Amino acid sequence: GESVGLHLPTLSVQEGDNSIINCAYSNSASDYFIWYKQESGKGPQFIIDIRSNMDKRQGQRVTVLLNKTVKHLSLQIAATQPGDSAVYFCAEKGTASKLTFGTGTRLQVTL
Amino acid sequence: DGGITQSPKYLFRKEGQNVTLSCEQNLNHDAMYWYRQDPGQGLRLIYYSQIVNDFQKGDIAEGYSVSREKKESFPLTVTSAQKNPTAFYLCASSIVGTGSYEQYFGPGTRLTVT
């Protein structure tokens, strides 16, 4: 079946440094991926998405990279700020409009 | 002010009681979803609906029921058959048919059953 997982459960980064959050997926037929940010006690918020016909997509301070050869997805956050502290989830599109979520990586920003 | 709302934010129930969680959206989205989140874990799909009067089971539907009588509303009932109902419940909605699969999430309901 489909599965989405993350390499690191917790990532600690100093304020101002760049963060890289990784995600592995298993369904080579997946054609759409999405990153969400979830702050404690709140619902997930959309960060950025990417389709399988792209290798890279940039947003404001964030970049998503997709390597289909090794089925790997990463989220890069530039100049990490304390407000970036949260749990980050990757998800892949499954059948219909469903998304399959990974277990999440907690990003801790230290001052 | 468009969005998706869930109520209440916190809910406490005694074991053996059914409880219904509310989810309303005014985004005019066709699809709606219910997820369960346990501490330190990802989101698991309970039920989803792509159109009014139709819904499908997700990965963990046992002990839950839903209805979709209106486009704006997708209530979730946690029945007494759900063995471990204490969790954080998230509702989401999305557009269908545009090629965008972004789901918009509500603020969640934390259910505690004792």
Side-chain angles (χ1 to χ4, degrees), chain A residues 38-100:
Chain A
Q38 186 179 27
E39 296 176 352
S40 183
K42 296 183 178 180
Q45 296 174 284
F46 170 84
I47 301 173
I48 194 167
D49 59 3
I50 189 168
R51 298 185 185 282
S52 60
N53 60 355
M54 301 172 72
D55 296 323
K56 178 180 179 178
R57 191 166 188 220
Q58 289 184 291
Q60 189 175 13
R61 279 204 307 120
V62 295
T63 300
V64 56
L65 298 178
L66 176 62
N67 186 332
K68 295 181 285 296
T69 303
V70 295
K71 291 185 284 187
H72 183 267
L73 194 66
S74 69
L75 176 70
Q76 299 179 0
I77 304 173
T80 311
Q81 302 168 358
D84 295 326
S85 294
V87 176
Y88 290 80
F89 294 96
C90 66
E92 62 178 320
K93 175 188 166 296
T95 55
S97 55
K98 294 189 295 180
L99 295 176
T100 300

Side-chain angles (χ1 to χ4, degrees), chain B residues 3-59:
Chain B
I4 182 164
T5 58
Q6 293 184 243
S7 61
K9 189 170 176 62
Y10 298 97
L11 193 52
F12 298 89
R13 280 293 182 271
K14 294 290 187 185
E15 201 173 307
Q17 293 178 333
N18 290 354
V19 59
T20 297
L21 282 59
S22 167
C23 177
E24 304 277 331
Q25 55 97 1
N26 61 3
L27 299 167
N28 200 33
H29 286 173
D30 290 304
M32 297 186 75
Y33 313 80
W34 273 105
Y35 293 91
R36 170 187 172 128
Q37 187 175 32
D38 292 288
Q41 296 190 31
L43 283 63
R44 291 185 290 168
L45 183 64
I46 304 173
Y47 268 99
Y48 67 104
S49 167
Q50 292 192 281
I51 196 169
V52 174
N53 293 321
D54 189 40
F55 49 82
Q56 286 77 40
K57 292 181 179 180
D59 300 318

